[in-house]
Amino acid sequence: MLKGRHLLDPRDFSLEELEEVFSLADEIIEDPKKFLHVCDGKILATLFYEPSTRTRCSFEAAMLRLGGSIIGFSEPNASSVSKGESVADTIRTIGCYADIAAMRHPKEGAPTIASMYSNIPVINAGDGSHQHPTQTLTDLLTIRKLKGHLSNLTIGCCGDLKFGRTVHSLVKALSRYNNNKFIFISPEELNIPDYVRKEILEKNNIEFREASKMEDVLGELDILYMTRVQRERFFNEDDYVRLKDSYILDKEKMKYAKDDMMVLHPLPRVNEISYEIDEDPRGCYFKQAKFGMYVRMALIAKLLGVR
Ligand code: CP
């Protein structure tokens, strides 16, 4: 039963519950008109303490396409956060006005704190370098739709694996399906954190290895998950400038990849995927962004118990 639950971590839902969300997303994709009024009279609050295009807009589009309404803020300075209001007080107040809330915050764990004080479902829309569970729902739905399965995959994660919350969440989620293995491609300074390596991969006997050159491993991959080096997470601009263009996927490199390898990216991209890849049928990142709206429609409907 998903009604009334929070989604803070990709593992908050069982595999069966995830399948419920994906099945509903399938139904919505099949016939969106059937769902035009399922959230009539309901309100989603988007509480974004950090910038966003896809997550906030897809949450808002999702609620509007279900017949509901939206309130919220897209940056903290436009709210009483700028006067020093705590996350706990903000969510207690928002709970007086809205039925469900999606929160993005630069501090790890802030949506979890909010959930402890909330009388409405709280969805983590990205917390610092920690987790981004609805991006993971998006990624899983995309893989499930375009590959047909979530098991027996070799997934390459490339770029900023240290600060990249989308990668941390995706590894957590895909580790629960059978026979998936990971290849991590990053500069040494941006390697996958120890907690992912030890607590998720080693603890669950998941096969993984690290590589420094993309060309060496591209031929093995079913999925290449590219990520941006995140300027906003660096303390030192010189380090960012030195590392930002470590990996750039272009036509030449794609010659090493399988014909059916999928290129995913949570977006936004900066330089890491050349625009020429947009024309390659293996570049699936804009389809992925669209699936993000459908899976959020399914998630909202399930957490509100309107279906
Ligand atoms: N993928 C993602 O989280 O994008 P935004 O930062 O634009 O929401």
Side-chain angles (χ1 to χ4, degrees):
M1 182 72 164
L2 291 171
K3 184 178 176 184
R5 298 256 296 272
H6 305 295
L7 175 61
L8 303 166
D9 182 285
R11 293 197 185 206
D12 282 349
F13 295 173
S14 68
L15 293 185
E16 293 72 24
E17 288 166 340
L18 284 177
E19 197 45 44
E20 268 185 55
V21 175
F22 297 145
S23 299
L24 181 56
D26 287 341
E27 276 188 64
I28 295 170
I29 292 166
E30 186 73 25
D31 189 1
K33 286 200 196 78
K34 249 174 47 186
F35 297 85
L36 278 175
H37 296 290
V38 298
C39 282
D40 278 358
K42 301 284 186 193
I43 295 178
L44 164 78
T46 50
L47 312 175
F48 276 60
Y49 296 72
E50 249 193 0
S52 165
T53 297
R54 273 143 297 274
T55 311
R56 187 174 63 81
C57 294
S58 66
F59 260 118
E60 295 186 355
M63 191 49 152
L64 294 170
R65 285 173 185 269
L66 293 170
S69 307
I70 49 172
I71 59 170
F73 51 84
S74 57
E75 57 135 341
N77 286 339
S79 76
S80 286
V81 174
S82 62
K83 303 173 203 159
E85 186 167 62
S86 67
V87 160
D89 283 358
T90 298
I91 196 70
R92 274 192 285 216
T93 308
I94 291 296
C96 302
Y97 313 139
D99 301 285
I100 186 165
M103 176 182 284
R104 169 169 292 188
H105 203 289
K107 288 203 178 126
E108 302 183 5
T112 303
I113 301 288
S115 72
M116 291 158 60
Y117 292 90
S118 180
N119 62 343
I120 58 172
V122 174
I123 301 167
N124 178 1
D127 62 328
S129 304
H130 190 219
Q131 300 293 334
H132 193 345
T134 64
Q135 180 63 48
T136 301
L137 294 184
T138 301
D139 302 339
L140 296 186
L141 181 69
T142 306
I143 298 168
R144 187 178 165 280
K145 287 296 246 187
L146 302 182
K147 280 267 174 225
H149 53 92
L150 291 166
S151 305
N152 304 311
L153 295 165
T154 300
I155 305 111
C157 299
C158 179
D160 177 357
L161 310 185
K162 178 180 179 184
F163 298 115
R165 59 193 174 201
T166 60
V167 170
H168 307 161
S169 286
L170 185 66
V171 170
K172 235 181 183 183
L174 280 174
S175 296
R176 302 166 87 190
Y177 295 88
N178 290 333
N179 200 31
N180 286 333
K181 49 186 178 197
F182 296 91
I183 304 179
F184 298 117
I185 311 148
S186 65
E188 206 176 331
E189 292 100 319
L190 299 178
N191 277 352
I192 197 90
D194 265 0
Y195 92 90
V196 178
R197 199 185 299 253
K198 294 204 168 76
E199 291 302 311
I200 299 165
L201 297 162
E202 289 175 5
K203 201 167 164 182
N204 295 296
N205 292 319
I206 309 294
E207 192 180 327
F208 73 96
R209 67 178 210 271
E210 292 176 291
S212 55
K213 228 175 142 200
M214 198 193 264
E215 295 91 313
D216 291 346
V217 299
L218 270 176
E220 295 176 52
L221 305 179
D222 300 305
I223 294 164
L224 174 62
Y225 196 89
M226 292 296 294
T227 60
R228 166 180 73 98
V229 175
Q230 300 178 81
R231 180 181 221 146
E232 65 273 28
R233 309 278 179 228
F234 279 79
F235 290 112
N236 180 336
E237 178 72 9
D238 291 345
D239 286 344
Y240 168 72
V241 170
R242 184 168 50 81
L243 294 170
K244 70 184 171 76
D245 291 329
S246 299
Y247 298 97
I248 298 177
L249 184 66
D250 58 17
K251 254 186 178 165
E252 277 308 303
K253 293 205 183 69
M254 284 299 276
K255 288 182 184 160
Y256 293 90
K258 293 184 199 170
D259 289 343
D260 65 347
M261 185 188 81
M262 280 170 62
V263 182
L264 297 181
H265 192 313
L267 304 177
R269 79 172 139 186
V270 184
N271 278 332
E272 59 281 357
I273 300 182
S274 154
Y275 278 78
E276 64 200 17
I277 307 297
D278 299 359
E279 310 308 321
D280 187 316
R282 293 171 289 183
C284 301
Y285 28 93
F286 289 110
K287 286 184 190 156
Q288 182 185 1
K290 188 155 191 181
F291 284 130
M293 179 185 71
Y294 290 122
V295 88
R296 289 181 176 103
M297 288 172 79
L299 178 67
I300 291 168
K302 284 285 174 190
L303 298 185
L304 290 178
V306 293
R307 274 274 289 176

